[in-house]
Amino acid sequence: MTPPSPAAGRAPDRSRQNPRSRQAIFDAALRLVGELGYEKLTIEAIAARAGVGKQTIYRWWPSKAAVLLDAFTAVTERPGNQGGLADTGDLEADLKAVLRATVDEFNDPAFEAPYRALAIAGAGDAALAADFVTRLSEPGMRAYLERLRRARAAGEIDRDVDLRIATEMILSPFAQRWLTRNGELSHEFTDRLVEHALRGLRPR
């Protein structure tokens, strides 16, 4: 019998979690999704790898997707993994630098496997997709928006540019290529992406 989801009652008090068990569960989920893939990942496998009972996991998370989202979010929220985009006064150079670093990150199997699993799972789960956007996608989007806002104030891009659309012009082709694997995700690609995007954003 499947244990009841925490969502069936009051939201669990995460402050009561054992930090060592929590980290073991997160480490197990991230490693296993890379080894097995999302479809074969199970709560039972995570529990066995983490050395905890599956009831311990079900007490705090309603599904493997919820475990994986929390595990991946914990990685992205570590000190040094947060912060806005660099502002050297050269928007093109700054965008190229951050996207090159993002290419390296998305080509790293340790990052790619859980992120791709969550993206695919979210395609069939509206609640997970909304949580994914709020916790992972939107913070990155805000960092780009703020950098473009400063660039617009400095006269580097046209004053009438819609900053949200401008950000999507830069990030959407990257996401499309990564998700569909329809081309190499490389520094050369992102450099050209920035150059083409900025041609449409420069002051007229």
Side-chain angles (χ1 to χ4, degrees):
M1 179 177 177
T2 301
S5 160
R10 292 184 306 169
D13 181 1
R14 295 292 175 86
S15 66
R16 297 177 59 191
Q17 288 179 331
N18 181 302
R20 296 178 71 176
S21 294
R22 180 175 183 268
Q23 189 59 53
I25 291 166
F26 285 176
D27 290 344
L30 292 172
R31 291 197 186 101
L32 284 169
V33 75
E35 295 171 13
L36 305 175
Y38 183 74
E39 291 300 319
K40 294 182 179 179
L41 180 68
T42 64
I43 293 290
E44 289 74 15
I46 295 171
R49 177 68 64 90
V52 302
K54 66 180 181 180
Q55 291 288 347
T56 298
I57 297 179
Y58 279 118
R59 186 178 302 124
W60 304 109
W61 293 280
S63 66
K64 65 180 182 180
V67 177
L68 191 58
L69 181 59
D70 273 4
F72 194 72
T73 302
V75 171
T76 62
E77 290 179 347
R78 287 174 183 167
N81 287 352
Q82 301 182 66
L85 273 63
D87 186 351
T88 65
D90 184 336
L91 178 62
E92 181 174 329
D94 293 344
L95 290 176
K96 285 182 176 181
V98 71
L99 283 172
R100 280 176 169 235
T102 306
V103 165
D104 295 342
E105 188 172 49
F106 274 64
N107 284 333
D108 179 353
F111 179 98
E112 192 265 355
Y115 198 87
R116 185 177 294 278
L118 287 166
I120 293 171
D125 184 333
L128 176 64
D131 215 7
F132 181 91
V133 168
T134 298
R135 297 170 61 182
L136 295 175
S137 300
E138 197 59 30
M141 180 74 75
R142 286 196 298 269
Y144 278 86
L145 282 168
E146 179 55 35
R147 181 63 186 89
L148 291 181
R149 188 173 292 110
R150 294 196 300 272
R152 186 172 63 180
E156 288 190 89
I157 60 177
D158 195 83
R159 64 183 181 182
D160 294 326
V161 163
D162 182 311
L163 296 181
R164 182 80 186 195
I165 292 176
T167 300
E168 291 177 356
M169 284 173 58
I170 296 166
L171 297 181
S172 294
F174 181 103
Q176 177 74 8
R177 179 168 289 207
W178 178 74
L179 279 170
T180 62
R181 307 180 196 266
N182 65 356
E184 183 184 7
L185 197 64
S186 64
H187 293 175
E188 292 74 18
F189 165 68
T190 53
D191 283 356
R192 293 193 67 193
L193 176 58
V194 169
E195 290 163 8
H196 280 282
L198 289 181
R199 286 177 191 173
L201 300 177
R202 297 291 190 194
R204 289 163 175 77

